[in-house]
Amino acid sequence: MSSPVITLHDRALGSYLGLAIGDALGATVEFMTPSEIVATHKVHRQILGGGWLRLKPGQVTDDTQMCLALGDAILSAQGWDLPTVANAFVTWMRSRPPDIGNTCRRGIRRYMLDGTLAAPPAEDSAGNGAAMRNLPVALAFAHAPAAFERCSIEQAHVTHNHPFSDAATLTLGHITRILLGGGDKLDCRHCANDLVAKHPQFRFDPWPGRTSGYIVDTTQTVLDAFFGSTSFEECLVNVVNRGGDADTTGALAGQLAGACYGVAGIPERWLKRLDHSVAERIRLQTPGLLALARPARVSTLQPANP
């Protein structure tokens, strides 16, 4: 019997919900080592809350919250307007979120002080904060690769301006777009191989074993878990039990696995456990972002000279 066809909407919603679920699952074990996770949970596979942020079960962190802020900005502008994006990040930071990375905080504060929309290039901008929040751009520009790349880099540079951050943000977004379009893991592997060819630092096979918030470590961990698994649950359990920056590796692995396997591939127990207000915002944003992605509408949003 052939596998059921997964629609674009199911892949997009699976990707967005998958990101939030990976965030909520991974937050419990963020900054723990694998041996500490084993001692505490044996195998961590339930959305329990807690962790160093002392979250409620199903609560999410800055990964999902910044995605939602970016998605709201795109929908508010009915397209791409970078000041609207930056203002959405300001509103989010002023909401006193449970967690915010230092580079994100610094970039948002700079915008608040002088109105500049791009951080200067910096060696300490190679964190994973730009890549973790870029899913709404991939959804809104699913059929417009040039616009996707331009907008991805613009939103990234509000806080993170580093070649490795740029490269990973684009690659993870392009892999997501390949999956949204029904591509398979072989197509995705070609995309990942292109990243490694251009930047050998990202080589992930064999996995180097590092799980920090450095964008190279994050991307290696996510790609290894995604390509080494055959289901959404296997992918997420694999990645979060490595510890480290587990909310972000969980979120990005969930983004890819959700786009690959669709909503039906996500365990029902995790869907039920996810914060209901977050799930509702995701379910509202997803069709709106996909509506912008229709080929007849995105042509006006692409750069004049891509």
Side-chain angles (χ1 to χ4, degrees):
M1 182 180 295
S2 61
S3 300
V5 175
I6 308 175
T7 66
L8 171 60
H9 178 270
D10 285 347
R11 291 186 186 277
L13 185 58
S15 185
Y16 213 154
L17 289 171
L19 179 143
I21 286 169
D23 181 3
L25 183 71
T28 302
V29 293
E30 186 181 14
F31 302 137
M32 295 175 70
T33 66
S35 59
E36 289 170 337
I37 295 171
V38 170
T40 306
H41 302 283
K42 294 186 178 178
V43 177
H44 176 53
R45 56 174 67 250
Q46 306 299 337
I47 295 179
L48 305 171
W52 75 278
L53 291 171
R54 300 181 180 178
L55 301 178
K56 298 176 182 178
Q59 190 175 356
V60 295
T61 74
D62 52 343
D63 301 74
T64 306
Q65 291 171 346
M66 291 198 82
C67 268
L68 290 169
L70 180 53
D72 282 343
I74 295 171
L75 291 172
S76 173
Q78 280 298 288
W80 189 252
D81 182 72
L82 190 57
T84 301
V85 170
N87 287 330
F89 291 161
V90 170
T91 299
W92 167 73
M93 189 172 76
R94 285 176 170 166
S95 73
R96 309 179 90 177
D99 184 32
I100 177 171
N102 290 331
T103 307
C104 288
R105 185 191 302 276
R106 183 177 68 219
I108 296 168
R109 286 191 182 279
R110 185 208 69 255
Y111 169 72
M112 293 169 65
L113 289 171
D114 63 24
T116 56
L117 289 164
E123 284 303 311
D124 61 355
S125 283
N128 55 27
M132 74 184 189
R133 65 182 185 236
N134 198 48
L135 176 58
V137 180
L139 298 182
F141 300 102
H143 303 295
F148 162 76
E149 293 192 358
R150 174 175 63 89
C151 298
S152 293
I153 297 303
E154 285 186 1
Q155 74 82 15
H157 284 187
V158 173
T159 56
H160 293 66
N161 192 343
H162 191 282
F164 291 167
S165 170
D166 291 353
T169 299
L170 291 177
T171 296
L172 292 168
H174 276 310
I175 290 175
T176 303
R177 294 176 61 256
I178 288 168
L179 293 166
L180 292 174
D184 59 24
K185 283 193 174 182
L186 180 59
D187 299 319
C188 297
R189 187 62 186 250
H190 290 320
C191 186
N193 290 346
D194 286 344
L195 171 67
V196 174
K198 293 175 184 174
H199 301 282
Q201 296 87 344
F202 284 96
R203 184 183 176 201
F204 60 93
D205 186 8
W207 179 56
R210 296 182 293 270
T211 56
S212 77
Y214 176 43
I215 188 59
V216 174
D217 294 346
T218 296
T219 304
Q220 290 171 323
T221 300
V222 168
L223 293 178
D224 180 74
F226 175 65
F227 289 118
S229 58
T230 58
S231 70
F232 183 92
E233 181 168 5
E234 181 187 4
C235 180
L236 261 65
V237 170
N238 181 325
V239 80
V240 301
N241 279 276
R242 301 180 189 193
D245 199 8
D247 61 331
T248 300
T249 56
L252 287 168
Q255 171 180 318
L256 300 186
C260 182
Y261 303 110
V263 178
I266 302 176
E268 187 66 24
R269 72 181 192 280
W270 287 349
L271 287 169
K272 289 180 177 178
R273 198 69 161 164
L274 182 63
D275 183 296
H276 290 174
S277 64
V278 169
E280 181 63 20
R281 287 181 68 186
I282 288 171
R283 291 182 184 277
L284 288 172
Q285 277 194 12
T286 299
L289 292 168
L290 289 179
L292 291 174
R294 290 173 186 158
R297 298 194 60 184
V298 297
S299 59
T300 60
L301 302 175
Q302 294 186 42
N305 295 292

